[in-house]
Amino acid sequence: MQRLLGTFPNRSAGLALLILRLAVAAALMSGARLCFGPETEVLLALSRIAAVLIIVGWYTPLAAASAVAVSLCSFWVCGGFGPDAWRIHALMIAILVAIGLLGAGAYSVDARLYGRRRLVVGRPAR
């Protein structure tokens, strides 16, 4: 599991990843409303689930990959709504790929579950 999740940077890099996760989640919460219709309700629900997983940093690479799939599906369903819709979706996909590759950082559930461990070698304390 460690290979899937990568490292967990802390301090300023971890804070930057937390801010990036919050910004992407805010965009995911509202981004599926670019077009209206019954088929977009499912995409909106999936987008919100991925946003919550990204906010708390739980299975971040998988949540980012699913958010990329939702973004591609919403672009396909909406039919490129608006002249600059492809730019918005391309930017969202690029940011989600970056989050998926970087991981969640030290301030996440992933770091608590799968983070660095301290290995103490020697005699056990009595």
Side-chain angles (χ1 to χ4, degrees):
M1 195 64 163
Q2 180 68 28
R3 183 170 276 184
L4 174 67
L5 297 172
T7 62
F8 300 101
N10 56 2
R11 297 190 181 134
S12 62
L15 184 62
L17 282 171
L18 176 65
I19 293 169
L20 183 64
R21 285 189 348 242
L22 291 173
V24 165
L28 280 174
M29 289 286 196
S30 63
R33 281 290 178 196
L34 291 175
C35 65
F36 299 98
E39 61 273 354
T40 59
E41 294 300 321
V42 174
L43 292 175
L44 183 62
L46 292 174
S47 173
R48 287 185 177 169
I49 291 170
V52 168
L53 290 176
I54 289 173
I55 286 173
V56 297
W58 194 27
Y59 294 122
T60 306
L62 298 175
S66 65
V68 165
V70 167
S71 184
L72 286 172
C73 288
S74 68
F75 181 69
W76 180 63
V77 167
C78 294
F81 183 74
D84 293 330
W86 68 272
R87 290 181 183 158
I88 295 169
H89 287 284
L91 181 63
M92 178 60 90
I93 289 170
I95 294 171
L96 285 167
V97 166
I99 287 177
L101 292 175
L102 288 172
Y107 310 113
S108 65
V109 174
D110 283 344
R112 295 288 175 211
L113 294 176
Y114 309 111
R116 298 182 189 117
R117 303 282 189 246
R118 178 177 288 178
L119 180 65
V120 179
V121 179
R123 290 185 176 180
R126 294 184 189 218

